[in-house]
Amino acid sequence: MSPIALPTPPETPSLTPHLKPTTLPSHTTHTTHTTHTTHTSAQLHHATPQPLAVSAEGMYVRLADGRTLLDAVSGGAAVASLGMGNVEVVNTMTEQAAKMAYAYHQLLGSGPGEELAEWLVSRGKGRFEAAAFLNSGSEAMEACIKLCRQYWVEKGEPQRKYIIARFPSYHGNTLGALAVGNVPPRRDLYTPLFSDFIHHVSSPTYKRSHLPSESEEAYSLRLASELEAKILELGAENIMAFVAEPVVGAALGVMPPPKGYFPAINAVVRKHNLLFVMDEVMSGSGRVGELFAHDAVAEGVTPDIMAMAKGLGAGYVTISAVLVNARVAEVVREAGQWKNSHTYQNHPVNCAVARKVMEITEREGLMQNVKARGTQLLEELTAALEGVKGVYDVRGKGLFVGVELDAPADLKPRMAARVKARCFELGLLVLGLSGTVDGKQGETIVLAPAYIVTPEQISEIVGILVRSVKECIEEP
C-alpha cells in the first residue's frame, strides 16, 4: 500500500424501503447548477434530460426527487451484476488506485492484469490460451475484428477480408463493430462510412421463422446451409471469420439459439477453415448461468476468439476482455506483437476490480442463483402472461429474459416505450426495445436483474411488469 493516507470514502446512505410512487412524469428534468426545475442538460446525449439518479444500493436506485426504483436490468444494460455498493469491490478499487493506479501496457505489465488473465484462462479448462483487457464491449469487438485480420495476414493469407455476421445483430458502437452488427436504426446513419467487407446471414428466430412442422434441429440445419451458401458465394479463401452472440441481446430482445444451432453452424465454419468469434459482451460473465455463455447454450461448441464485458466489471469499472485459443495466440506470439493498443488497455485498477467481481461471483455461488432465479422468473412470467392478448413470447436464459409484445410499429409512443414508462411509474426499472424483429417491427421488454436478486424481488418484478403490460395493451 502507498504510505499516502487516503480519505475514507463516505458510507453509502441506506436507502428507504422500495416506494411505489403514484405519479411520475415521462421524464424528470434537473440541473446541477441551480434550483430551476427545467433546463437543457449540458450532457450531449438526449435532447431531454433523463431522470437523475443520485445513489444506489443493492437492487435499488434512488432518484433526485426521493423516489426509489427496483432495478430489474442491472443499471440499465445488464451490467451491475453484483448490485450497487459492494464494499469488497469498492475497497479493491481504492486499494489498487493507492498501490498503482496506472501502467501503460506497452511499457509495463501489472499484477492485476496477469492475475485476471490467468483466472479467466484457467476457467476455460484448456479452451483459451490468453486474454487482454480493454474498456468497453465495443472496443473488445473492434479488437476481435482487427485480430481476425492480423491472424490471416500473419498466416500468409492477406486476401482474406470478409466477415460474415448475422441480421439482426448488434456488436457495438465503434465503426467496425457497428458494421459487423446490423440493427438498421443504429447503423443506417453511418452506412457511407462502411466498406464492403461485412456480409450477413439470418439470425436464428425459430418461433417466428420456422417452416410448418420444422423441428428446431431442422431449422438450425437450414440456417447452416444459408451460411455455407454465403461462404461459397464469397469464396472460403477470402473470408476471415463468422461472428455470433451465443444468446442474442439487444438486437432481438434476448434470443437463445434453437437446438442444434451452434453444432450445425460450427460444422460449416470448421469445414471452410474460418475463425469463429463469439460476442459474449452482454450474455457472458455469468448472465445466463455460466461464466462463458457458450457453455450454457452452444452444446459444446467453443470459439477461437471471444469478447466479454458488462458483467465482467459489474459497472464498478469500464472493462472488457478479448480471449483467444491456442490457435490464435500462437500465431500472434510468433508475429511478435498483437497490433492493437489503447492508452487504458490492461488498466490495473480495472483489472483488479474485475478480478474481485469474478471472485465474488464464484465464491458466493451467484451463478447458481442466476439459474434458480432465472427459472423462477421465466416460470412466473409465462404463467402470468399466458393468454394475454398482445404478448407474443416469453423467453430467455438465466437472468436474461425478454418479453416480446405484438404491437404495430406506427404506434406512438411505441409499445415497448409505453410499458417501460408504466413500469417506471410503478417503481420498476426495465429496458424497452423497439425494432427487435427486423430493426423496425418488434417490441420487447428486457429483464436482467443483478445476480443477487431474491425470490421475493423476482416476484415483485413479475407483478409490476405484468400489470404494466396489461394496462398498456388495454390502452386505446
Side-chain angles (χ1 to χ4, degrees):
M1 289 291 291
S2 166
I4 300 174
L6 297 177
T8 302
E11 293 184 1
T12 303
S14 296
L15 298 182
T16 57
H18 179 213
L19 303 176
K20 295 181 179 179
T22 56
T23 61
L24 183 70
S26 59
H27 64 270
T28 302
T29 54
H30 60 270
T31 176
T32 56
H33 304 293
T34 74
T35 57
H36 297 165
T37 56
T38 61
H39 84 299
T40 300
S41 172
Q43 294 193 61
L44 183 62
H45 191 43
H46 290 278
T48 302
Q50 298 283 29
L52 181 61
V54 295
S55 64
E57 186 176 42
M59 291 280 297
Y60 298 94
V61 178
R62 175 179 281 175
L63 303 181
D65 62 10
R67 282 176 287 212
T68 302
L69 303 175
L70 174 58
D71 180 6
V73 71
S74 295
V79 174
S81 55
L82 297 184
M84 304 289 189
N86 186 289
V87 174
E88 276 192 76
V89 176
V90 173
N91 287 343
T92 296
M93 186 186 306
T94 56
E95 289 168 5
Q96 182 58 46
K99 183 177 183 180
M100 184 176 71
Y102 176 71
Y104 181 46
H105 75 104
Q106 293 280 32
L107 296 177
L108 297 167
S110 73
E114 291 294 333
E115 291 168 10
L116 179 59
E118 289 174 4
W119 192 93
L120 289 171
V121 167
S122 70
R123 289 343 184 247
K125 299 178 181 178
R127 81 192 75 168
F128 298 118
E129 178 73 15
F133 306 104
L134 300 106
N135 304 285
S136 71
S138 296
E139 273 189 36
M141 284 305 299
E142 195 83 14
C144 289
I145 296 165
K146 293 165 66 180
L147 183 54
C148 290
R149 175 63 182 167
Q150 181 180 353
Y151 174 87
W152 289 113
V153 170
E154 305 292 2
K155 289 279 289 182
E157 299 185 50
Q159 81 285 353
R160 290 187 185 252
K161 66 175 184 177
Y162 296 122
I163 286 178
I164 301 175
R166 307 184 300 183
F167 172 80
S169 62
Y170 181 70
H171 296 291
N173 205 36
T174 53
L175 275 178
L178 200 59
V180 170
N182 198 336
V183 176
R186 299 185 188 222
R187 188 181 194 269
D188 286 355
L189 176 65
Y190 306 103
T191 298
L193 305 181
F194 301 144
S195 74
D196 65 351
F197 76 103
I198 303 297
H199 292 261
H200 296 92
V201 293
S202 300
S203 288
T205 54
Y206 174 76
K207 182 171 182 177
R208 189 175 294 278
S209 305
H210 74 278
L211 300 174
S213 302
E214 186 177 36
S215 67
E216 292 187 31
E217 293 86 349
Y219 172 74
S220 296
L221 287 172
R222 180 156 62 89
L223 292 193
S225 296
E226 180 188 348
L227 172 61
E228 183 156 42
K230 178 60 69 174
I231 292 171
L232 295 175
E233 172 192 331
L234 299 173
E237 71 281 3
N238 299 317
I239 303 170
M240 296 190 294
F242 175 72
V243 178
E245 291 178 279
V247 178
V248 180
L252 293 174
V254 187
M255 185 70 72
K259 294 176 183 177
Y261 176 79
F262 276 100
I265 291 292
N266 188 61
V268 174
V269 170
R270 301 310 176 193
K271 174 182 177 181
H272 294 285
N273 193 30
L274 312 184
L275 292 171
F276 202 149
V277 179
M278 288 192 186
D279 174 356
E280 297 200 3
V281 167
M282 201 169 193
S283 61
S285 307
R287 172 57 56 191
V288 296
E290 299 288 349
L291 175 62
F292 305 123
H294 60 270
D295 278 340
V297 299
E299 302 175 68
V301 174
T302 61
D304 297 299
I305 302 171
M306 189 184 80
M308 301 173 70
K310 295 191 184 291
L312 180 62
Y316 291 89
V317 290
T318 56
I319 188 169
S320 59
V322 173
L323 279 73
V324 299
N325 64 10
R327 172 190 180 185
V328 175
E330 289 170 4
V331 170
V332 172
R333 286 169 173 165
E334 287 175 6
Q337 184 183 26
W338 179 32
K339 295 179 174 63
N340 186 84
S341 179
H342 292 269
T343 300
Y344 297 111
Q345 195 163 315
N346 295 350
H347 193 285
V349 175
N350 288 0
C351 292
V353 169
R355 175 67 181 84
K356 178 57 69 173
V357 168
M358 292 293 96
E359 174 191 320
I360 294 169
T361 300
E362 184 175 74
R363 185 190 71 214
E364 301 299 324
L366 293 183
M367 282 182 278
Q368 285 69 40
N369 194 55
V370 169
K371 293 175 183 177
R373 301 286 72 76
T375 298
Q376 178 191 354
L377 181 57
L378 275 174
E379 288 178 350
E380 290 189 12
L381 277 172
T382 300
L385 292 172
E386 185 177 5
V388 174
K389 182 181 179 181
V391 176
Y392 179 79
D393 195 16
V394 178
R395 57 181 180 255
K397 189 72 176 178
L399 286 174
F400 199 25
V401 170
V403 177
E404 186 175 341
L405 308 172
D406 186 9
D410 59 358
L411 187 67
K412 303 296 181 183
R414 297 284 293 260
M415 182 57 73
R418 293 184 183 208
V419 174
K420 181 181 77 169
R422 186 61 54 84
C423 286
F424 198 96
E425 292 172 2
L426 297 173
L428 183 68
L429 192 64
V430 302
L431 185 62
L433 300 173
S434 293
T436 51
V437 172
D438 59 5
K440 295 181 181 179
Q441 303 289 333
E443 309 290 323
T444 303
I445 302 300
V446 172
L447 301 175
Y451 305 169
I452 62 171
V453 67
T454 66
E456 295 76 18
Q457 288 168 332
I458 289 290
S459 294
E460 185 173 7
I461 290 167
V462 171
I464 295 174
L465 177 57
V466 169
R467 174 183 168 183
S468 299
V469 167
K470 290 179 177 178
E471 290 179 355
C472 289
I473 288 174
E474 291 170 0
E475 288 178 348

